Amino acid sequence: MGSRASSLLREEDIEEIKKETGFSHSQITRLYSRFHSLDKGENGALSREDFQRIPELAINPLGDRIINAFFPEGEDQVNFRGFMRTLAHFRPVEDNEKNKDPSSGEPLNSRNNKLLFAFRLYDLDRDDKISRDELLQVLRMMVGVNISDEQLGSIADRTIQEADTNGDMSISFSEFIKVLEKVDVEQKMSIRFLH
Amino acid sequence: MTARTRFCGGLLRISRALRTVALSLVTGCVFSVHASFGAVHGDNDTSHSSGHGTHTKTHNTTYPATRAFPVLTVNYDHVRKPFEISLWILLASLMKLGFHYIPRVSSVVPESCVLIVVGLLVGGLIRLLGETLPVLDTQLFFLCLLPPIILDAGYFLPTRPFTENLGTILVFAVVGTVWNSFFIGVVLYGVCQIEREQLAAVDLLACLLFGSIASAVDPVAVLAVFEEIHINELLHILVFGESLLNDAVTVVLYHLFEEFASEGQVTVVDACLGMVCFFVVAFGGILVGTVFGLVAAVTSRFTAHSRVIEPLFVFLYSYMAYLSAEVFHLSGIMALIACGVVMRPYVEANISHKSYTTVKNVLKMWSSVSETLIFIFLGVSTVAGPHSWNWAFVIITIFLCLISRVMGVVGLTFIINKFRMVKLTGKDQFIVAYGGLRGAIAFSLAFLLPSDHFPMKNMFLTAIITLIFFTVFVQGMTIRPLVDLLAVKKKKQTKFTINEEIHSQFINHMLSGIENVCGHYGHHHWRDKLSRFNKYYVKKWLIAGERSQEPQLISFYNKLELKQALLVAESGSAANIGPGLSSAALLSAQSQKQRTVMKNISKEREEEIRKILRANLQKTRQRLHSYNRHTLVLEEEDEWSTVQLRRQRVELEKRMTHYLTVSASGWDSPPVRRARFQSDSQEYMAKPSAPVSIPAINMELVSAPPGSLALLEEVTDQAQQSQDEGCGMHANSHEEKSMKPNVTFALELEKQKLSRCLSDPGPNKIEVEAEEKEHFLS
């Protein structure tokens, strides 16, 4: 099964993905076999149902949002390139990468891009602001059904109040970055993809 | 002028401290001198002290017949042991006090060094007086002095960084220690062979044994030094975790080599058995600790009626775990740590707030005293111990220890970094290597060596003591300037903000999800699984009453948390909301005020909201701000309790209004109401006084319905009274304002009372409601 899966992936593709995302060859093949195992319809792309079939993801409070993050705007299918592009955000930051040429643009797994990914999970309507409602939604999902709305609202208000520096009652991306400056995002938002 | 007064003041303080010290020393010495004289007198004194009432014949004959009635007698032997122990502890504590009055010293020299020096001085003093010196008795050390420190460390172990770095810590502890032992042992043996004259008698096994003793990083010394330099969490947990976990290795190696040295023959089978022994020791210790921890958690479930002895269970079970592990020569330290770590979340959910504070403070106090005593005794034992100085041996030992430590750390880091996400930099490695301090455990182990098998025991002892002194003094003193010089990251000072908490949890969830997508069973996955297992299966058994069924109580609790937070904010902003507002309006008004009073975020409110989040966000992470023994986390006990009282008052008012309005309007549908409260009372019937971490204040519930009715009457009576008294409470509604009870009730107690009154099936049912209605509506 594994060899059959990897044979569907061409060398040029692997090279391109490697350049774009920074994954190693073995990591890409391993993730491709995972992609393949998720892809029940065998059409080379994943749909939302494929993701929802993953058991733990259903229990995850942010499950739906995470699934949505894989799909580009308005599409219902994600191919392997898109899959890898999303996963590239979670590659650990390596020190030697800082020396690579800056002209290729910021790598997908930089601190900024990691935070941007997280920000996009909050900000569903893509207006580059986390409004109070969006925050409330997320809080509600994480906390469960036990807490009253007014309580949650108060927490949300407090959160925005803490972060908001320009007084627009919502958290912009720069405010988001600032609030998390003490958090070790590089480590928290990294997954060790085994070689 | 001011400099002069400051100088005089400092001098005065120092002289005062020294005076007290000298006084205690002199008293101690005088008494011990007297004691020795008393011992010399032998028979008479012992028979005299062994029983005041019983006069034996011989005793009678030795005393002259005409002897005036002794008005004042001195009998020191009687109390000698406890007296000396207390005196030592007093001395240790006074040292700790005095240490902080000498400002220059405390910033340069770590406390452990000063204490050793004091020990040396005291030892010298005692020797001058010609007394027998108390040596650091191994029994005393391992059974009395070490457990409190380890328990303190284990109970307050920051589990998250520990588990995240567990692999690294284990590699350092196990592989590093083994490497150290063998390297030191073998090279030392080589040196001894070369240096034929004095050291030829030292054979390989003895050297290996010495190596195993000398290689163990000591938790006490590490704690003492690292607590003061405030390096970042990662390095702290690496070195400290290593020092804790290498106990298993040390125990195994020590016993292994001791066995072999006495037998003189080593086979391959023995070596394999040694490795098996290691696993048995380590996992056995952890198992024993876990079992005792779980038993402690179960016990704490039932302590609702005897809150006063709750801390005792924590201590006793932990100590029993340690002792039980020691019985089987398993690793007592690991048992103790496992017990503390396992016990903690459940016990804390069960015991009262006051008991929790007691546990924390007693642990810190005890471990502090223990540590001080250990260092002082080290100093004294140095003066006392039979020494056999051998320049070559000692210098080579120190040299080898340093080299092997550095090599071990660098080599292992090279391997570990391949598996770590956040690599250890060179600076980190240096600190880890430099922070490998030796301490009293090494000394005690050396002391334990039987002299018959090890004729060179004195030499070993001297070498170990020198090693300890070197690491504690030289490395301990220089590590602080080195940390500053190398600009190693220090511990982050600020507390987490609400944002950080929420976003961190958010990121955790996100990471779990992504890990699931990748099919990667990583750290987050297992942590999720563990917390879910914990939630569904374990908590039911180990947490008493309602706390295990989280939804209802938590929501109630948090509702009040919020109300209390609002109240605190209100009182803080000094504006009184009028009585006409409903609670929702109050909230919106409050939030408006929040926006204007933006920067004044009171500490208590932060704590409130943080507590809500911590309790509810589905991954409960215990984040400790510090477990630094020297600076306890400020708990703000007093404000907390007054705030709690206020909260309960509000709660009571709220419930009163609720039932008021319900009973007034919903009179036509009593069965519905009763049915709802019936379900409430079902739970609460079974466990009348369920523990919540609010300090439970005292009204005991009478179980019979008429009794509860009486209580209810009492409540309403007092409510009426207080109305007359007119206490100033911020109230949310008109009805609430009309009854401001002056008494405070425990939360669930109150809930039960009212629910029982209203839902109790029985003959007085109708009267209850009628009575109540009458009271309320009148």
Side-chain angles (χ1 to χ4, degrees), chain B residues 719-746:
Chain B
Q720 307 268 356
Q721 281 174 22
S722 61
Q723 188 185 357
D724 305 332
E725 288 169 33
C727 50
M729 254 316 273
H730 309 300
N732 287 343
S733 66
H734 191 61
E735 292 107 331
E736 283 177 356
K737 191 165 190 182
S738 66
M739 33 185 57
K740 286 168 254 177
N742 232 347
V743 299
T744 53
F745 297 94

PDB file of all heavy atoms in Angstrom, chain B residues 719-746:
ATOM      1  N   ALA B 719     -32.750  37.678  58.115  1.00  0.00           N
ATOM      2  CA  ALA B 719     -32.851  38.590  56.978  1.00  0.00           C
ATOM      3  C   ALA B 719     -33.619  39.826  57.388  1.00  0.00           C
ATOM      4  O   ALA B 719     -33.226  40.947  57.080  1.00  0.00           O
ATOM      5  CB  ALA B 719     -33.521  37.893  55.811  1.00  0.00           C
ATOM      6  N   GLN B 720     -34.728  39.569  58.133  1.00  0.00           N
ATOM      7  CA  GLN B 720     -35.506  40.691  58.578  1.00  0.00           C
ATOM      8  C   GLN B 720     -34.674  41.588  59.487  1.00  0.00           C
ATOM      9  O   GLN B 720     -34.700  42.803  59.378  1.00  0.00           O
ATOM     10  CB  GLN B 720     -36.725  40.185  59.357  1.00  0.00           C
ATOM     11  CG  GLN B 720     -37.564  39.152  58.630  1.00  0.00           C
ATOM     12  CD  GLN B 720     -38.678  39.801  57.843  1.00  0.00           C
ATOM     13  OE1 GLN B 720     -38.847  41.016  57.906  1.00  0.00           O
ATOM     14  NE2 GLN B 720     -39.432  39.009  57.103  1.00  0.00           N
ATOM     15  N   GLN B 721     -33.938  40.911  60.390  1.00  0.00           N
ATOM     16  CA  GLN B 721     -33.121  41.670  61.325  1.00  0.00           C
ATOM     17  C   GLN B 721     -32.155  42.570  60.597  1.00  0.00           C
ATOM     18  O   GLN B 721     -32.036  43.736  60.898  1.00  0.00           O
ATOM     19  CB  GLN B 721     -32.301  40.734  62.205  1.00  0.00           C
ATOM     20  CG  GLN B 721     -33.063  40.122  63.343  1.00  0.00           C
ATOM     21  CD  GLN B 721     -32.208  39.109  64.063  1.00  0.00           C
ATOM     22  OE1 GLN B 721     -30.968  39.187  63.971  1.00  0.00           O
ATOM     23  NE2 GLN B 721     -32.817  38.181  64.758  1.00  0.00           N
ATOM     24  N   SER B 722     -31.500  41.956  59.666  1.00  0.00           N
ATOM     25  CA  SER B 722     -30.452  42.729  59.007  1.00  0.00           C
ATOM     26  C   SER B 722     -31.032  43.864  58.208  1.00  0.00           C
ATOM     27  O   SER B 722     -30.385  44.864  57.972  1.00  0.00           O
ATOM     28  CB  SER B 722     -29.615  41.824  58.118  1.00  0.00           C
ATOM     29  OG  SER B 722     -30.453  41.269  57.133  1.00  0.00           O
ATOM     30  N   GLN B 723     -32.249  43.660  57.805  1.00  0.00           N
ATOM     31  CA  GLN B 723     -32.895  44.761  57.108  1.00  0.00           C
ATOM     32  C   GLN B 723     -32.959  45.961  58.039  1.00  0.00           C
ATOM     33  O   GLN B 723     -32.723  47.088  57.641  1.00  0.00           O
ATOM     34  CB  GLN B 723     -34.289  44.330  56.691  1.00  0.00           C
ATOM     35  CG  GLN B 723     -34.970  45.336  55.788  1.00  0.00           C
ATOM     36  CD  GLN B 723     -36.393  44.926  55.495  1.00  0.00           C
ATOM     37  OE1 GLN B 723     -36.833  43.873  55.928  1.00  0.00           O
ATOM     38  NE2 GLN B 723     -37.107  45.762  54.783  1.00  0.00           N
ATOM     39  N   ASP B 724     -33.296  45.643  59.306  1.00  0.00           N
ATOM     40  CA  ASP B 724     -33.348  46.730  60.254  1.00  0.00           C
ATOM     41  C   ASP B 724     -31.965  47.322  60.466  1.00  0.00           C
ATOM     42  O   ASP B 724     -31.803  48.526  60.557  1.00  0.00           O
ATOM     43  CB  ASP B 724     -33.893  46.232  61.609  1.00  0.00           C
ATOM     44  CG  ASP B 724     -35.240  45.552  61.433  1.00  0.00           C
ATOM     45  OD1 ASP B 724     -35.941  45.936  60.479  1.00  0.00           O
ATOM     46  OD2 ASP B 724     -35.555  44.670  62.227  1.00  0.00           O
ATOM     47  N   GLU B 725     -31.015  46.436  60.601  1.00  0.00           N
ATOM     48  CA  GLU B 725     -29.664  46.936  60.821  1.00  0.00           C
ATOM     49  C   GLU B 725     -29.155  47.734  59.640  1.00  0.00           C
ATOM     50  O   GLU B 725     -28.381  48.653  59.776  1.00  0.00           O
ATOM     51  CB  GLU B 725     -28.701  45.773  61.088  1.00  0.00           C
ATOM     52  CG  GLU B 725     -28.905  45.125  62.448  1.00  0.00           C
ATOM     53  CD  GLU B 725     -28.115  43.826  62.533  1.00  0.00           C
ATOM     54  OE1 GLU B 725     -27.045  43.785  61.911  1.00  0.00           O
ATOM     55  OE2 GLU B 725     -28.575  42.892  63.189  1.00  0.00           O
ATOM     56  N   GLY B 726     -29.604  47.317  58.510  1.00  0.00           N
ATOM     57  CA  GLY B 726     -29.257  48.087  57.307  1.00  0.00           C
ATOM     58  C   GLY B 726     -27.780  48.011  56.938  1.00  0.00           C
ATOM     59  O   GLY B 726     -27.048  48.986  56.999  1.00  0.00           O
ATOM     60  N   CYS B 727     -27.343  46.867  56.594  1.00  0.00           N
ATOM     61  CA  CYS B 727     -25.953  46.796  56.177  1.00  0.00           C
ATOM     62  C   CYS B 727     -25.836  47.239  54.742  1.00  0.00           C
ATOM     63  O   CYS B 727     -26.737  47.053  53.940  1.00  0.00           O
ATOM     64  CB  CYS B 727     -25.401  45.386  56.335  1.00  0.00           C
ATOM     65  SG  CYS B 727     -26.419  44.111  55.618  1.00  0.00           S
ATOM     66  N   GLY B 728     -24.750  47.813  54.439  1.00  0.00           N
ATOM     67  CA  GLY B 728     -24.586  48.370  53.109  1.00  0.00           C
ATOM     68  C   GLY B 728     -24.092  47.339  52.118  1.00  0.00           C
ATOM     69  O   GLY B 728     -22.916  47.040  52.050  1.00  0.00           O
ATOM     70  N   MET B 729     -24.962  46.799  51.364  1.00  0.00           N
ATOM     71  CA  MET B 729     -24.574  45.809  50.356  1.00  0.00           C
ATOM     72  C   MET B 729     -24.960  46.328  48.990  1.00  0.00           C
ATOM     73  O   MET B 729     -26.027  46.879  48.815  1.00  0.00           O
ATOM     74  CB  MET B 729     -25.325  44.513  50.605  1.00  0.00           C
ATOM     75  CG  MET B 729     -24.502  43.380  51.189  1.00  0.00           C
ATOM     76  SD  MET B 729     -22.918  43.171  50.453  1.00  0.00           S
ATOM     77  CE  MET B 729     -23.306  42.130  49.113  1.00  0.00           C
ATOM     78  N   HIS B 730     -24.138  46.129  48.068  1.00  0.00           N
ATOM     79  CA  HIS B 730     -24.549  46.423  46.696  1.00  0.00           C
ATOM     80  C   HIS B 730     -25.558  45.376  46.299  1.00  0.00           C
ATOM     81  O   HIS B 730     -25.276  44.205  46.337  1.00  0.00           O
ATOM     82  CB  HIS B 730     -23.359  46.335  45.765  1.00  0.00           C
ATOM     83  CG  HIS B 730     -22.203  47.130  46.250  1.00  0.00           C
ATOM     84  ND1 HIS B 730     -22.278  48.479  46.439  1.00  0.00           N
ATOM     85  CD2 HIS B 730     -20.970  46.753  46.605  1.00  0.00           C
ATOM     86  CE1 HIS B 730     -21.116  48.908  46.876  1.00  0.00           C
ATOM     87  NE2 HIS B 730     -20.295  47.887  46.980  1.00  0.00           N
ATOM     88  N   ALA B 731     -26.708  45.770  45.947  1.00  0.00           N
ATOM     89  CA  ALA B 731     -27.751  44.803  45.630  1.00  0.00           C
ATOM     90  C   ALA B 731     -28.151  44.915  44.190  1.00  0.00           C
ATOM     91  O   ALA B 731     -27.976  45.951  43.557  1.00  0.00           O
ATOM     92  CB  ALA B 731     -28.953  45.027  46.530  1.00  0.00           C
ATOM     93  N   ASN B 732     -28.652  43.854  43.709  1.00  0.00           N
ATOM     94  CA  ASN B 732     -28.999  43.831  42.306  1.00  0.00           C
ATOM     95  C   ASN B 732     -30.430  44.159  42.033  1.00  0.00           C
ATOM     96  O   ASN B 732     -30.794  44.543  40.935  1.00  0.00           O
ATOM     97  CB  ASN B 732     -28.702  42.453  41.720  1.00  0.00           C
ATOM     98  CG  ASN B 732     -27.227  42.264  41.572  1.00  0.00           C
ATOM     99  OD1 ASN B 732     -26.482  43.229  41.605  1.00  0.00           O
ATOM    100  ND2 ASN B 732     -26.798  41.035  41.419  1.00  0.00           N
ATOM    101  N   SER B 733     -31.260  43.953  42.998  1.00  0.00           N
ATOM    102  CA  SER B 733     -32.668  44.239  42.724  1.00  0.00           C
ATOM    103  C   SER B 733     -33.326  44.676  44.000  1.00  0.00           C
ATOM    104  O   SER B 733     -32.782  44.567  45.082  1.00  0.00           O
ATOM    105  CB  SER B 733     -33.366  43.015  42.159  1.00  0.00           C
ATOM    106  OG  SER B 733     -33.392  42.020  43.157  1.00  0.00           O
ATOM    107  N   HIS B 734     -34.514  45.152  43.846  1.00  0.00           N
ATOM    108  CA  HIS B 734     -35.221  45.738  44.967  1.00  0.00           C
ATOM    109  C   HIS B 734     -35.457  44.720  46.065  1.00  0.00           C
ATOM    110  O   HIS B 734     -35.231  44.980  47.225  1.00  0.00           O
ATOM    111  CB  HIS B 734     -36.554  46.319  44.483  1.00  0.00           C
ATOM    112  CG  HIS B 734     -37.219  47.163  45.520  1.00  0.00           C
ATOM    113  ND1 HIS B 734     -36.630  48.299  46.033  1.00  0.00           N
ATOM    114  CD2 HIS B 734     -38.380  47.014  46.154  1.00  0.00           C
ATOM    115  CE1 HIS B 734     -37.435  48.837  46.931  1.00  0.00           C
ATOM    116  NE2 HIS B 734     -38.526  48.077  47.033  1.00  0.00           N
ATOM    117  N   GLU B 735     -35.932  43.544  45.674  1.00  0.00           N
ATOM    118  CA  GLU B 735     -36.221  42.551  46.700  1.00  0.00           C
ATOM    119  C   GLU B 735     -34.957  42.144  47.432  1.00  0.00           C
ATOM    120  O   GLU B 735     -34.938  41.963  48.623  1.00  0.00           O
ATOM    121  CB  GLU B 735     -36.867  41.294  46.098  1.00  0.00           C
ATOM    122  CG  GLU B 735     -38.243  41.533  45.561  1.00  0.00           C
ATOM    123  CD  GLU B 735     -38.248  41.532  44.038  1.00  0.00           C
ATOM    124  OE1 GLU B 735     -37.198  41.894  43.450  1.00  0.00           O
ATOM    125  OE2 GLU B 735     -39.264  41.181  43.472  1.00  0.00           O
ATOM    126  N   GLU B 736     -33.925  42.046  46.682  1.00  0.00           N
ATOM    127  CA  GLU B 736     -32.679  41.627  47.309  1.00  0.00           C
ATOM    128  C   GLU B 736     -32.246  42.631  48.341  1.00  0.00           C
ATOM    129  O   GLU B 736     -31.739  42.304  49.385  1.00  0.00           O
ATOM    130  CB  GLU B 736     -31.593  41.446  46.262  1.00  0.00           C
ATOM    131  CG  GLU B 736     -31.739  40.155  45.498  1.00  0.00           C
ATOM    132  CD  GLU B 736     -30.685  40.056  44.415  1.00  0.00           C
ATOM    133  OE1 GLU B 736     -29.914  41.023  44.242  1.00  0.00           O
ATOM    134  OE2 GLU B 736     -30.638  39.029  43.758  1.00  0.00           O
ATOM    135  N   LYS B 737     -32.461  43.859  48.011  1.00  0.00           N
ATOM    136  CA  LYS B 737     -32.005  44.875  48.939  1.00  0.00           C
ATOM    137  C   LYS B 737     -32.772  44.771  50.246  1.00  0.00           C
ATOM    138  O   LYS B 737     -32.264  45.071  51.310  1.00  0.00           O
ATOM    139  CB  LYS B 737     -32.224  46.251  48.326  1.00  0.00           C
ATOM    140  CG  LYS B 737     -31.525  47.339  49.118  1.00  0.00           C
ATOM    141  CD  LYS B 737     -31.440  48.625  48.324  1.00  0.00           C
ATOM    142  CE  LYS B 737     -30.532  49.613  49.035  1.00  0.00           C
ATOM    143  NZ  LYS B 737     -30.442  50.875  48.341  1.00  0.00           N
ATOM    144  N   SER B 738     -33.993  44.306  50.160  1.00  0.00           N
ATOM    145  CA  SER B 738     -34.792  44.275  51.362  1.00  0.00           C
ATOM    146  C   SER B 738     -34.365  43.187  52.315  1.00  0.00           C
ATOM    147  O   SER B 738     -34.727  43.196  53.455  1.00  0.00           O
ATOM    148  CB  SER B 738     -36.265  44.079  51.010  1.00  0.00           C
ATOM    149  OG  SER B 738     -36.421  42.784  50.450  1.00  0.00           O
ATOM    150  N   MET B 739     -33.625  42.227  51.853  1.00  0.00           N
ATOM    151  CA  MET B 739     -33.129  41.264  52.813  1.00  0.00           C
ATOM    152  C   MET B 739     -31.636  41.079  52.635  1.00  0.00           C
ATOM    153  O   MET B 739     -31.204  40.423  51.702  1.00  0.00           O
ATOM    154  CB  MET B 739     -33.859  39.928  52.697  1.00  0.00           C
ATOM    155  CG  MET B 739     -34.286  39.559  51.315  1.00  0.00           C
ATOM    156  SD  MET B 739     -35.227  38.064  51.342  1.00  0.00           S
ATOM    157  CE  MET B 739     -36.505  38.523  52.465  1.00  0.00           C
ATOM    158  N   LYS B 740     -30.903  41.696  53.502  1.00  0.00           N
ATOM    159  CA  LYS B 740     -29.468  41.557  53.435  1.00  0.00           C
ATOM    160  C   LYS B 740     -29.034  40.784  54.658  1.00  0.00           C
ATOM    161  O   LYS B 740     -28.861  41.320  55.724  1.00  0.00           O
ATOM    162  CB  LYS B 740     -28.795  42.927  53.420  1.00  0.00           C
ATOM    163  CG  LYS B 740     -28.953  43.606  52.078  1.00  0.00           C
ATOM    164  CD  LYS B 740     -28.555  45.040  52.174  1.00  0.00           C
ATOM    165  CE  LYS B 740     -29.800  45.902  52.147  1.00  0.00           C
ATOM    166  NZ  LYS B 740     -29.569  47.294  52.298  1.00  0.00           N
ATOM    167  N   PRO B 741     -28.873  39.518  54.491  1.00  0.00           N
ATOM    168  CA  PRO B 741     -28.526  38.716  55.667  1.00  0.00           C
ATOM    169  C   PRO B 741     -27.113  39.010  56.127  1.00  0.00           C
ATOM    170  O   PRO B 741     -26.223  39.223  55.325  1.00  0.00           O
ATOM    171  CB  PRO B 741     -28.672  37.293  55.175  1.00  0.00           C
ATOM    172  CG  PRO B 741     -28.454  37.386  53.718  1.00  0.00           C
ATOM    173  CD  PRO B 741     -28.960  38.707  53.298  1.00  0.00           C
ATOM    174  N   ASN B 742     -26.995  38.964  57.385  1.00  0.00           N
ATOM    175  CA  ASN B 742     -25.682  39.218  57.934  1.00  0.00           C
ATOM    176  C   ASN B 742     -24.866  37.946  58.109  1.00  0.00           C
ATOM    177  O   ASN B 742     -23.700  37.975  58.372  1.00  0.00           O
ATOM    178  CB  ASN B 742     -25.826  39.891  59.308  1.00  0.00           C
ATOM    179  CG  ASN B 742     -25.006  41.134  59.359  1.00  0.00           C
ATOM    180  OD1 ASN B 742     -24.185  41.354  58.491  1.00  0.00           O
ATOM    181  ND2 ASN B 742     -25.213  41.940  60.366  1.00  0.00           N
ATOM    182  N   VAL B 743     -25.566  36.854  58.004  1.00  0.00           N
ATOM    183  CA  VAL B 743     -24.848  35.600  58.212  1.00  0.00           C
ATOM    184  C   VAL B 743     -24.357  35.072  56.878  1.00  0.00           C
ATOM    185  O   VAL B 743     -24.862  35.433  55.831  1.00  0.00           O
ATOM    186  CB  VAL B 743     -25.745  34.544  58.874  1.00  0.00           C
ATOM    187  CG1 VAL B 743     -26.190  35.047  60.215  1.00  0.00           C
ATOM    188  CG2 VAL B 743     -26.939  34.249  58.012  1.00  0.00           C
ATOM    189  N   THR B 744     -23.398  34.225  56.948  1.00  0.00           N
ATOM    190  CA  THR B 744     -22.904  33.633  55.708  1.00  0.00           C
ATOM    191  C   THR B 744     -23.093  32.130  55.768  1.00  0.00           C
ATOM    192  O   THR B 744     -22.988  31.525  56.811  1.00  0.00           O
ATOM    193  CB  THR B 744     -21.425  33.928  55.528  1.00  0.00           C
ATOM    194  OG1 THR B 744     -20.751  33.521  56.709  1.00  0.00           O
ATOM    195  CG2 THR B 744     -21.232  35.398  55.323  1.00  0.00           C
ATOM    196  N   PHE B 745     -23.394  31.591  54.653  1.00  0.00           N
ATOM    197  CA  PHE B 745     -23.621  30.161  54.611  1.00  0.00           C
ATOM    198  C   PHE B 745     -22.657  29.525  53.641  1.00  0.00           C
ATOM    199  O   PHE B 745     -22.197  30.149  52.720  1.00  0.00           O
ATOM    200  CB  PHE B 745     -25.037  29.859  54.129  1.00  0.00           C
ATOM    201  CG  PHE B 745     -26.091  30.382  55.042  1.00  0.00           C
ATOM    202  CD1 PHE B 745     -26.638  31.609  54.805  1.00  0.00           C
ATOM    203  CD2 PHE B 745     -26.518  29.649  56.113  1.00  0.00           C
ATOM    204  CE1 PHE B 745     -27.616  32.103  55.635  1.00  0.00           C
ATOM    205  CE2 PHE B 745     -27.491  30.132  56.941  1.00  0.00           C
ATOM    206  CZ  PHE B 745     -28.044  31.363  56.704  1.00  0.00           C
ATOM    207  N   ALA B 746     -22.402  28.317  53.846  1.00  0.00           N
ATOM    208  CA  ALA B 746     -21.693  27.596  52.812  1.00  0.00           C
ATOM    209  C   ALA B 746     -22.632  27.424  51.642  1.00  0.00           C
ATOM    210  O   ALA B 746     -23.817  27.252  51.828  1.00  0.00           O
ATOM    211  CB  ALA B 746     -21.224  26.242  53.326  1.00  0.00           C
TER     212      ALA B 746
END
